[in-house]
Amino acid sequence: MMKPTRRGVVVFALAVTGVVLARLFGPRSLDAVAVPAVVALAAGALQLALAADPSVRRRPLSPTFPGDDHTVSLDVEGGHGVVTLDDAVPEGAIASDPTATVLAPATVSYDVRHEHRGEYVFGPTTVRVHDVFGLFQRTTTAATERAHLVYPPVHDVRERDVLARWLDRGRSTDRQTVSKLREYVPGDSPRDIHWRASARWPDSLLVAEYDADNDETATIAASAPAGAADPMAAATASIAVALLGAGVDVEVTVRDGTASDRMAILSLLARTDHGRPAVGDADITVEAHRSGTVTVTADGRETTFEAMRASRAVGLNSLSEQTDKSDRWTEVIRQ
Amino acid sequence: MSALRLASLLAAGLVLVSVLATVYRVLDVVGDPTDVLGLAAVIIVAATLGARLFGVRQAAITAGGLLAVGLGWYLAELPTENTFALAVHVEYVLALLSGRSILEIVNVEQWLLAVTPAPVFLTWFLALRHRYVLAAVAGGSAVGFVVLTGDATLPVATMGCVGALALLGFGTLERAGGTISDADVVVVVLAVAVGASLSITLVPQEATMTYSPGVGFERATEYATEGTLEADLLATNDRVRIGGRTELSAETRWTVESDRERYWRVGAYDLYTGEGWIRRPNSIAETSVRRAAAETVTQRFTAESRIATVPAAWRPIGVEGIDVRTTVFRGFEPIGSLQPGESYVAESRVIDPSPSQLRRAGDSYPETVTSRFLQVPDSTPDRVAQAAEAVAGDAETPYGTAVRIEGWLKNTKDYSLSIDRPSGDIADSFLFEMEAGYCTYFATTMVVMLRTQGVPARLAVGYTPGERVGDDTWRVRGYNSHSWVEVYFPEVGWVQFDPTPSQPREQAASEQFPDVETASDSESDTGENSEESGSGPTPDAGRVPGWVPDPDSGGSDPAGQSDATDTRTPIPADDSGPTLQDPAINAPSVDRPDRPGWERLLLGSIVVVGLLAGVRRSGAFGRLYRVIWLRWQPRSDPMTDLTRAYDRLEYLFERVHRPRRAGETPRQYFEAIEADERAMTVRRRYEQARYAGEVDPAAADRAVALADAVVAEHVRFVVAGPDSV
């Protein structure tokens, strides 16, 4: 439904005032005020009535880690006239400027940062179409809801006593028998790349999976009381990523479910809330406490996660470093 | 700078031009207008620098400061005591907004210098900072003010309002990241707005109220019919409107009983705007020392219709019987209006100075007189002064100058009510471009000519004596409304002159209203200008009222009548003024076509740009290009020529038959539509050239010729090349 904007009301009031003052004290040149105002109002209403509503689509959002800036983009297409978008930013997200005025077709982007993990739903977007003078507007809502996952922060795990059993084995694994070959996925350890097999297939890298790996899967059970889910998730994610990076299969169980590969584990941990998993015993137990400390028990030994981790949260950087190294290897191969 | 940004700044410039043009026009009337241009340049440079240096808030404070300082200076310079009485100033502002011209402000040059900088600075600053809506508000307020005071003409007001609208449109687009091609909608709307504003009347045309300081709001009395001379002269008590074609009204206005026959004066005006007259308020009491013989004349005025003027003979000293306000120059204004039958008594001191007295008066005018009654607009052409000088000739005294000018105007110009209002200065146009006019034109021109010669003069309006219906009784009608001249002589005061030829004036009235008895006997009087002095043989018939010098009767006492009570004014002996044939003044007016003012040029260009934008948006340019492209092929190299020849044919067949389908080869296509042999030849040559990679020039020529021929059979107006078939 077309409605006048504040500007439109003011212009209309100007025209009315002109007529009233002319009636009171004489016309003077008040036609020059009233007539253009009426012309602009008529033209604006006509333009808006003829303008089609634009379609607004949100570009996909890839998961991020806390503290990282990512860009939310909306594509505006079709329609005429001036379009103002107002994106609904979920709570907990710090957005730079979710409102913008553009002429269709255009793309509106703004930066967002999240401080905590979770599933954030962006949208819907309020779309206001104006005429070119800004006198009338029509408001619709574009269904652009999309969930965005923020993984828990992954810290570099330095102190490895508690996990020594799995990590050492991962390093000293006999790598003679290959149980299967699969394509390289960013995040795989570069040690697992089977160079000879990869040389046969240009444009691809193959990763070998070994027998010796298959036997044991490290199971992690994580629990947390209300309010301590974040430290629990961070600790579990860090441990799981460290193990996966060492070539160990991991299975993470929390109250909400179980996951085995890296993406699934991170997604699960992004969403999970406090609670206790249903599984009985696990190789590694991660337990968060109300104070915020996280106890990690494995192989009979117990320690806190703070003691295990590096002083700074590495998160995406460490993973991307690994990825970068892999890419460099990729370049070498391809040349 | 993008084109859209430039357009936005031009829009802001248009608003400023509108404001400054109005200020310039006002200053031109009262003084030297070039100061405001210098001031505007300084302000705009300051705003440009400021836009780089500080923010909007500081700019607002600066503008407020400029306004405060300016107004403070202006108020300090005012000659009155109640400088800081807020209520008075509020009243004056309300009066301005209700239609009083800025010209009525005391010390208007200083006032304009004080208040112009702030809105100019703010508007330009805000536009430079991309705050277009705020700029439109700032500039628009200034435009609105001058529109409400009535000083902005319609074209100038249109410029200001359309400029503000353009700021809104271009500004919105610029902030949305558009380009100039998105702005075509805006430009089209602007062009429509300009055209509509200049041609459509939307607002009511009749005022219902007036506001005066000290009085407040009053119902506007409409007693004089619009479009009549009476309305132009007397309807509004603060200005005289000079119109074009005008009419006379026959409504009876007054019955006057008086011992002496005088013009019944309503008021006078001192400020000549070039297009009309305005009365400036005057806080200094007029004083004049009188030595000439004066006597008191009592008159009784009885209103015969509803009316809101209070005429009285010059020089009135009091009015009794109704409530009146005194206006400056000893005019009166009734509080409320008079109903038919209401009457009042006016007392006037009447003087009849002799010509020798007037000649001896000299020219040492007091400053209160020279400051007000020598004003002519700065833009008045020099030739007006030159003509006045030539007409005055070798007159040695101001009195002689006045008499010469009065006589010359009376003899040279004809009287007519149906004239076209000139577009330029009234006095200049009347002298050099018009052959006839009515009383306002005659009187205005005489005042202006006198002022250029340094003789203080002003316009007086009121009624001629009217039809004499009894010994001492006159009947005054609407068509007796008249304007004449008052000239100041030191130690005598204001003396009346009337340059309008009276006989034609009476004739015009009697022709229009033949049933009304007029002094038609006066027509039989030979060679004398006689006023309407009654019907029938009375001693008064054919006599010129004593206080109007009559240069035509060359020194002799007219037809023997003299009345002891009315002193005749003897005629100056040396009346050897210029005659009708004087070439210096009566040069045939150059038949110059009226130049359209710069305002119309500017507005016209906006309309033209709008039309072009509209045409472009409708794709007409593209279509026009196509039309020409099909019909005319300029030549370049053989390959291009051949390709274009083929393209033309394909385009033609697409329009005439059907487009070529995807996957259809040219051969299949041409065969399917049954193209004739010539078209096939062109197609063959084209395909050969494309695959061979080169073309024989002769073949290309032939192809073009064939294409021309084929196209010519289907459309008209093909421009054929030299080798056409």
Side-chain angles (χ1 to χ4, degrees), chain B residues 27 70 129 211 328 332 399 404 457 517 559:
Chain B
L27 279 181
R129 295 289 287 227
Y211 179 83
V328 297
F332 294 103
Y399 173 67
R404 294 250 170 91
E517 271 191 48

Side-chain angles (χ1 to χ4, degrees), chain A residues 58-123:
Chain A
R58 188 188 301 278
R59 296 222 187 129
L61 300 162
S62 12
T64 58
F65 286 92
D68 294 332
D69 281 330
H70 70 111
T71 306
V72 176
S73 294
L74 296 154
D75 289 320
V76 183
E77 255 146 47
H80 296 284
V82 179
V83 176
T84 301
L85 297 179
D86 196 0
D87 206 13
V89 173
E91 252 190 69
I94 304 162
S96 59
D97 189 9
T99 303
T101 307
V102 290
L103 286 171
T107 303
V108 172
S109 302
Y110 61 96
D111 289 332
V112 189
R113 177 192 311 171
H114 305 266
E115 296 296 333
H116 301 283
R117 61 160 191 132
E119 184 175 16
Y120 295 85
V121 177
F122 283 84

Side-chain angles (χ1 to χ4, degrees), chain B residues 203-224:
Chain B
V203 300
Q205 295 293 298
E206 307 263 321
T208 55
M209 290 178 80
T210 60
Y211 179 83
S212 302
V215 174
F217 293 97
E218 283 181 330
R219 281 217 98 74
T221 38
E222 219 248 51
Y223 67 93

Side-chain angles (χ1 to χ4, degrees), chain A residues 7 11 15 18-40 43 47 80 82 101-103 130-135, chain B residues 97-99 133 147-148 150 152 154 157-158 161 165 168-169 172-173 175-176 178 182 186 189 192-193 196-197 200-210 217:
Chain A
R7 219 190 272 183
V11 170
V19 170
V20 165
L21 285 177
R23 179 94 190 108
L24 282 179
F25 299 115
R28 294 157 279 184
S29 44
L30 282 166
D31 277 318
V33 172
V35 172
V38 167
V39 168
Q47 192 201 11
H80 296 284
V82 179
T101 307
V102 290
L103 286 171
H130 302 154
D131 65 295
V132 76
F133 290 106
L135 304 176
Chain B
L97 294 176
S98 74
V133 176
V147 164
L148 288 178
L154 189 62
T158 304
C161 295
L165 197 59
L168 285 186
T172 310
L173 283 178
R175 295 188 70 144
D182 301 309
V186 174
V189 173
V192 170
S197 166
I200 296 178
T201 310
L202 186 65
V203 300
Q205 295 293 298
E206 307 263 321
T208 55
M209 290 178 80
T210 60
F217 293 97

Side-chain angles (χ1 to χ4, degrees), chain B residues 634-682:
Chain B
R635 312 293 292 276
S636 58
D637 63 280
M639 194 64 195
T640 316
D641 288 345
L642 184 53
T643 311
R644 177 146 164 200
Y646 172 76
D647 285 339
R648 284 167 70 197
L649 286 180
E650 195 175 306
Y651 177 73
L652 175 72
F653 293 143
E654 175 186 317
R655 302 249 321 279
V656 171
H657 302 288
R658 64 163 176 81
R660 178 159 69 101
R661 298 192 196 110
E664 210 178 3
T665 68
R667 176 194 288 263
Q668 290 169 335
Y669 173 56
F670 273 37
E671 276 170 5
I673 59 170
E674 291 165 14
D676 68 8
E677 190 50 43
R678 295 170 296 178
M680 294 298 243
T681 312
V682 173

